[in-house]
C-alpha cells in the first residue's frame, strides 16, 4: 500500500486543465483508427501532455525522451486534433494553440508538410499586411522553401500553391496546379479536397458543369462527410432543378451534419415536388430554429396543407414580426399577397 | 444556382421571385407573346406544308439551315390525306371509263396509301440509321435529358452573369458554346424507337394490303408514327386527351395541371397516382418506354420508376420548348425567316395537350384560321412557361421561376386553354 501511494506521489501529475479539455481515450482511439496512425494512444498521450506544458521556444529533446517518434507522427497528432475539431464543430482555444505548436515542432524536426504549411502561412500573413508576425526575411525564406519543395515534387506544396492562386482569384493557374497534384496523388483524402476545389473552378467555365459534376462525385467518394459537406451541397444544387431525386439524398446527408442551407431546400423539395407534407414540415421546423425566412414561408404552406391551423396562425404572427427587417420586407409582402385567400380562410377557421 | 453555386454561406439573395396572378388577357400582353406574335405577323415565322430541306447542303445561318435543324417532317404523320383530290383527278380523267371511275378512284387511294406506307417505313429506317451517332453521344434513356436540362440552366447562368457584369450593354453576352443537340436530332432521338413497330406493321400490311388502313384507324398504336393517316391520328389524339384528362381528374398535363375549376398549377410526377402515371405514359404519343415494362411497373406498384419516366417526358418537353423558342427568337437572325412545318405544329399541340376532346388538329392546321388558333395556343403556353425567363426576355432563370422553391408562389388564374376564344 505504502509503495502504491508513493508511486502516486512520485508520478508527475498532468494539469487538470489539460485533462478537462482533452477528450476521452475512447474518442481519440476512434479517430486514431479512422486516420490509421502509426502511434497508439499510449504513445501519443505523453507527447500531448508535454506539448501542452511547454512553450514554442522551448527545446524538447525529442530523440532522448521519445525515441520512437518521427516528424510525421506530430503531423498525424495535429490531424487528430483537426478531425476532432471538425467532428465536434467546436474550436477550443488551447487545442488550437496546440495544433500550431505541433506544426512548429514537426517543422523543427524537418517535416516537409509542416514546412510547407508554415511557409504558406507566412506568405499569406504578409500579403494580408500582418507584418508584425512575419518579417521580410521570413517571407524570403518561406519563398525559398516553397521553391525547393516544388522542385522536389512535394505533393502538399503543389496543392497549397493551387489554394494560394485560388484565393487570389487566379483560377486558371490554380486549376493547373490542382491537375498537377492529381497526377501525383489521386486516391487520398487530400486528393478529395483538391477534386472539390477543382470542381468549383470548373463550374465557372462555360459548359464546365459536366467536368465539375465528375470532380465533385470523386470528391465525395474520397472524403468523409464532415469535410465534404460543402461539395455535397453544391452537387445537390447542380442536380436540384433537373434531377430532384438525386439531389434529395445528397441534401439529407448535408442536413445530417447540420448544414444550414440544406433545411429549406429539403423542405421545399418535399413540399412541392415529392408532396410529403409531414416530412417537409419537420425540415422547416429545424429551419425555423435558425430563423431562416424561407422556412417560415414553407412551414406556413405545410401547416395549411396539413390543416394545422394553430401552427399556421403562430407562424403568421412570427412572420409579421420579422417584417420589421428591411431586407426581408419585400419577400414577406409578396408572400402575404399571394396567400391572401388562405389567410382569410384561416381567420374564419 | 445563382452565381454558379458560389452562394454557399455568402449569398443572401432570396430565391423567391415575385410573380403576380396571371390571366389570359395578361398573358397576351406579355413581352414573349408579343415577340412571338410579332414574328408571325411580320412573316418571319411561317407555318408551311412539306418542308423538306437538307441541312447538309444549306449554308449555316441561312433560313434553310435553321428550318431543317428545327423540323423533322420525315418522322411525323401526314396532315392531309388527298382523298378528294384523287377522286377529282379520276373523274376528270377521260381515259378512265365512266363505269369504272368509282373502282379506279378507290384503287388509286389504296395505291397512294401503300406508297405512303412505303415512304413511312423507309423514313423510319432512315431516322434510326441517321441517329445512331447522336444516340451514342446522348443516351436519352440514361439521364442525358437531365444533362441537357443542366446545360440549359448553365446557359441561363452565363447570360445572367454576363448581364450582371455589364448591365448597360444588354446585347453583350458571353460567347457560349453551341447547344450540344439541335431540335431535329432531339425529336428524332425520341422518335427512333418507332422502328420496333415495323415487324408487326409490315406483316399486317403484307396480309391485308389496302384494308390495313382501316385496321390502323381502329388500332393506331400498331402503326409507326409517320405512317398514321389523319383519321388514325385523330383517334390517337382523342385517346390521349381522354385518358389523361378524365372526368374526375387531370392526371398530368405536361408539368401543368389544368383542373375543372380552371386553376392551373404545377403537377410534379410524385403527386400522381400509379394508375394515372401509367395512363399518361401509355398514352403519350411517342412513349419512350415499352408497354410491357409499364405494365410490370404498374402491377408491382413501382411508382418511383413510373415517376422517373414521366420526369423524362417533362424534361423532353422543356428542352423541346427551349430549342423551338431559341430557333424562333434567335437574336442574331433578325432577317432570317423561320419556317415551322405544319406537322411539327400539330405534334407540338398534341404533346402539350393544348386541345380539347374531338378537335381534329390536322383539319385545323390546313386552313389559316385554324393555324392561327393553334399557334396562339402554343404562344400562350410558351408565355405562361417562359415569359420573364432570362433565355428570352426577362431577368429570372427558368429554375428560379419554376424551381422547387418557387412553384408554390406562382398563382395562375383560370381561363387559359379552356376559354372558347382560343
Amino acid at each position: 500500500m505504502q509503495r502504491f501511494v508513493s508511486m502516486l506521489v512520485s508520478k508527475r501529475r498532468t494539469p487538470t486543465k489539460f485533462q478537462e479539455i482533452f477528450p476521452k481515450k475512447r474518442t481519440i482511439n476512434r479517430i486514431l483508427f479512422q486516420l490509421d496512425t502509426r502511434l497508439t494512444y499510449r504513445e501519443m498521450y505523453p507527447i500531448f501532455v508535454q506539448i501542452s506544458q511547454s512553450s514554442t521556444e522551448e527545446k524538447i529533446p525529442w530523440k532522448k525522451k521519445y525515441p520512437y517518434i518521427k516528424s510525421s507522427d506530430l503531423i498525424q497528432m495535429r490531424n487528430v486534433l483537426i478531425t476532432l475539431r471538425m467532428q465536434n464543430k467546436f474550436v477550443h482555444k488551447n487545442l488550437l494553440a496546440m495544433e500550431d505548436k505541433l506544426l512548429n515542432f514537426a517543422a523543427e524536426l524537418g517535416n516537409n508538410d509542416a514546412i510547407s504549411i508554415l511557409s504558406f502561412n507566412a506568405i499569406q500573413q504578409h500579403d494580408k499586411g500582418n507584418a508584425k508576425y512575419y518579417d521580410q526575411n521570413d517571407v524570403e525564406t518561406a519563398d525559398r522553401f516553397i521553391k525547393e519543395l516544388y522542385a522536389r515534387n512535394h505533393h502538399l506544396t503543389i496543392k497549397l500553391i493551387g489554394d494560394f492562386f485560388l484565393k487570389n482569384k487566379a483560377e486558371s493557374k490554380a486549376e493547373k496546379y490542382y491537375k498537377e497534384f492529381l497526377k501525383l496523388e489521386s486516391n487520398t483524402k487530400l486528393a478529395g479536397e483538391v477534386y472539390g476545389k477543382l470542381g468549383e473552378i470548373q463550374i465557372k467555365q462555360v459548359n464546365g458543369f459536366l467536368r465539375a459534376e465528375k470532380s465533385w462525385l470523386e470528391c465525395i467518394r474520397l472524403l468523409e462527410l464532415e469535410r465534404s459537406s460543402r461539395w455535397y451541397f453544391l452537387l445537390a444544387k447542380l442536380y436540384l432543378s433537373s434531377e430532384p431525386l438525386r439531389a434529395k439524398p445528397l441534401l439529407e446527408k448535408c442536413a445530417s451534419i447540420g448544414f444550414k442551407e440544406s433545411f429549406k431546400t429539403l423542405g421545399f423539395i418535399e413540399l412541392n415536388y415529392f408532396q410529403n407534407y409531414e416530412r417537409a414540415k419537420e425540415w422547416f421546423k429545424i429551419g425555423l430554429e435558425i430563423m431562416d425566412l424561407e422556412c417560415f414561408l414553407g412551414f406556413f404552406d405545410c401547416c395549411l396543407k396539413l390543416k394545422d391551423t394553430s401552427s399556421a396562425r403562430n407562424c403568421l404572427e412570427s412572420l409579421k414580426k420579422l417584417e420589421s427587417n428591411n431586407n426581408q420586407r419585400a419577400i414577406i409582402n409578396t408572400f402575404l399577397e399571394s396567400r391572401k385567400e388562405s389567410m382569410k380562410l384561416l381567420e374564419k377557421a | 444556382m445563382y452565381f454558379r453555386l458560389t452562394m454557399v454561406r455568402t449569398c443572401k439573395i432570396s430565391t423567391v421571385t415575385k410573380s403576380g396572378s396571371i390571366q389570359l388577357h395578361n398573358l397576351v400582353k406579355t413581352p414573349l407573346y408579343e415577340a412571338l406574335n410579332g414574328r408571325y405577323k411580320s412573316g418571319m415565322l411561317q407555318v408551311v406544308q412539306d418542308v423538306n430541306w437538307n441541312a447538309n447542303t444549306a449554308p449555316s445561318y441561312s433560313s434553310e439551315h435553321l428550318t431543317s435543324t428545327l423540323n423533322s417532317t420525315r418522322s411525323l404523320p401526314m396532315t392531309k390525306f388527298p382523298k378528294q383530290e384523287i377522286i377529282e383527278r379520276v373523274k376528270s380523267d377521260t381515259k378512265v371509263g365512266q363505269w369504272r371511275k368509282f373502282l379506279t378512284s378507290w384503287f388509286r387511294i389504296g395505291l397512294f396509301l401503300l406508297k405512303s406506307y412505303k415512304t413511312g417505313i423507309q423514313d423510319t429506317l432512315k431516322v434510326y440509321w441517321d441517329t445512331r451517332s447522336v444516340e451514342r453521344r446522348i443516351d436519352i434513356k440514361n439521364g442525358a435529358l437531365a444533362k441537357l436540362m443542366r446545360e440549359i440552366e448553365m446557359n441561363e447562368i452565363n447570360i445572367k452573369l454576363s448581364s450582371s457584369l455589364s448591365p448597360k450593354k444588354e446585347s453583350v453576352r458571353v460567347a457560349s458554346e453551341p447547344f450540344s443537340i439541335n431540335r431535329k436530332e432531339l425529336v428524332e432521338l425520341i422518335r427512333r424507337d418507332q422502328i420496333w413497330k415495323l415487324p408487326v406493321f409490315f406483316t399486317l400490311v403484307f396480309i391485308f394490303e389496302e384494308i390495313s388502313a382501316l385496321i390502323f384507324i381502329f388500332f393506331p398504336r400498331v402503326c409507326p408514327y409517320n405512317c398514321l393517316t389523319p383519321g388514325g391520328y385523330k383517334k390517337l389524339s382523342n385517346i390521349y386527351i381522354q385518358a389523361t384528362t378524365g372526368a374526375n381528374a387531370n392526371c398530368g398535363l405536361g408539368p401543368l395541371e389544368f383542373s375543372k375549376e380552371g386553376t392551373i398549377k404545377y403537377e410534379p410526377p410524385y403527386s400522381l397516382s400509379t394508375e394515372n402515371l401509367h395512363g399518361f405514359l401509355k398514352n403519350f404519343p411517342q412513349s419512350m418506354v415499352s408497354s410491357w415494362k409499364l405494365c410490370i411497373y404498374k402491377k408491382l406498384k413501382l411508382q418511383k420508376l413510373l415517376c422517373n419516366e414521366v420526369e423524362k417526358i417533362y424534361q423532353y418537353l422543356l428542352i423541346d420548348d427551349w430549342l423551338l423558342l431559341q430557333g424562333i427568337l434567335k437574336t442574331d437572325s433578325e432577317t432570317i425567316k423561320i419556317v415551322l412545318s405544319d406537322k411539327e405544329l400539330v405534334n407540338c399541340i398534341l404533346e402539350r395537350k393544348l386541345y380539347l376532346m374531338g378537335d381534329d388538329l390536322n383539319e385545323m392546321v390546313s386552313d389559316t384560321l385554324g393555324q392561327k388558333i393553334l399557334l396562339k395556343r402554343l404562344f400562350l403556353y410558351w408565355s405562361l412557361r417562359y415569359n420573364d425567363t432570362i433565355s428570352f426576355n426577362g431577368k429570372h432563370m427558368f429554375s428560379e421561376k419554376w424551381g422547387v422553391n418557387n412553384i408554390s408562389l406562382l398563382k395562375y388564374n383560370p381561363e387559359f386553354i379552356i376559354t372558347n376564344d382560343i
Side-chain angles (χ1 to χ4, degrees), chain A residues 203-204 242-243 272-273 275, chain B residues 4 150 271 311 315 404:
Chain A
I203 196 94
K204 289 179 188 170
S242 48
E243 285 174 289
N272 293 327
Y273 198 75
Q275 304 210 332
Chain B
R4 276 218 200 85
R150 283 202 276 280
S271 63
E311 204 177 64
Q315 285 168 349
V404 283

Side-chain angles (χ1 to χ4, degrees), chain A residues 101-145:
Chain A
K101 276 184 194 173
L102 279 167
L103 196 66
N104 284 327
F105 287 131
E108 273 173 29
L109 288 176
N111 185 282
N112 284 346
D113 286 355
I115 294 171
S116 179
I117 295 168
L118 283 172
S119 309
F120 273 99
N121 278 352
I123 290 175
Q124 272 166 9
Q125 291 296 338
H126 188 260
D127 281 358
K128 273 183 195 171
N130 293 343
K132 61 178 178 180
Y133 295 114
Y134 298 95
D135 60 20
Q136 194 59 36
N137 279 340
D138 281 347
V139 175
E140 278 167 14
T141 323
D143 204 33
R144 191 162 47 82
F145 277 142

Side-chain angles (χ1 to χ4, degrees), chain A residues 203-204 209 216 234 237-239 241-243 245 260-261 272-275 294 331 334 338-339, chain B residues 1 4-9 14-15 18 146 150 153-154 268 270-271 311 315 399 404 407-409:
Chain A
I203 196 94
K204 289 179 188 170
F209 68 98
W216 284 333
L234 293 178
K237 275 287 199 189
L238 186 68
Y239 289 147
S241 318
S242 48
E243 285 174 289
L245 199 63
K260 195 179 143 192
E261 283 81 358
N272 293 327
Y273 198 75
F274 296 104
Q275 304 210 332
E294 284 176 55
I331 299 167
T334 317
S338 67
R339 295 289 182 277
Chain B
M1 288 237 300
R4 276 218 200 85
L5 306 173
T6 52
M7 59 183 249
V8 188
R9 303 282 182 218
S14 167
T15 46
K18 194 178 178 180
R150 283 202 276 280
E153 204 180 347
M154 289 297 156
Y270 290 84
S271 63
E311 204 177 64
Q315 285 168 349
S399 54
V404 283
I407 43 180
S408 60
L409 267 190

Side-chain angles (χ1 to χ4, degrees), chain B residues 322-419:
Chain B
W322 192 82
L323 287 170
L324 270 170
L325 281 168
Q326 282 284 320
I328 295 169
L329 297 169
K330 220 168 190 177
T331 45
D332 51 355
S333 59
E334 289 286 335
T335 50
I336 294 175
K337 211 183 282 176
I338 307 292
V339 178
L340 190 68
S341 147
D342 58 339
K343 293 180 182 178
E344 285 290 358
L345 177 63
V346 168
N347 194 54
C348 283
I349 299 287
L350 180 79
E351 283 179 340
R352 289 154 187 80
K353 294 203 286 184
L354 305 174
Y355 62 99
L356 295 170
M357 175 86 182
D359 277 359
D360 190 344
L361 299 174
N362 287 318
E363 203 184 313
M364 282 172 88
V365 86
S366 60
D367 65 80
T368 334
L369 183 69
Q371 228 176 63
K372 270 184 188 170
I373 291 171
L374 293 183
L375 268 178
K376 195 172 179 184
R377 285 181 191 181
L378 197 60
F379 290 169
L380 284 170
Y381 173 80
W382 281 339
S383 17
L384 175 73
R385 292 274 282 163
Y386 306 99
N387 184 45
D388 202 24
T389 53
I390 199 152
S391 295
F392 307 110
N393 62 344
K395 288 174 187 167
H396 304 298
M397 282 157 46
F398 182 78
S399 54
E400 281 174 345
K401 191 179 171 186
W402 289 96
V404 283
N405 285 20
N406 206 45
I407 43 180
S408 60
L409 267 190
L410 289 163
K411 194 184 165 205
Y412 289 113
N413 201 330
E415 297 177 62
F416 182 54
I417 305 304
I418 294 134
T419 333

Side-chain angles (χ1 to χ4, degrees), chain B residues 5-71:
Chain B
L5 306 173
T6 52
M7 59 183 249
V8 188
R9 303 282 182 218
T10 50
C11 180
K12 284 167 189 163
I13 298 163
S14 167
T15 46
V16 177
T17 52
K18 194 178 178 180
S19 55
S21 71
I22 293 178
Q23 292 179 336
L24 180 67
H25 59 270
N26 285 346
L27 273 181
V28 178
K29 282 175 198 162
T30 52
L32 185 64
Y33 181 87
E34 278 172 6
L36 286 164
N37 210 24
R39 289 231 153 205
Y40 179 63
K41 276 184 180 166
S42 62
M44 288 296 154
L45 170 68
Q46 287 180 350
V47 179
V48 172
Q49 282 182 350
D50 298 328
V51 187
N52 212 1
W53 284 317
N54 191 354
N56 298 328
T57 51
S60 60
Y61 287 103
S62 68
S63 175
E64 288 85 351
H65 185 268
L66 275 174
T67 308
S68 54
T69 51
L70 208 64
N71 301 293

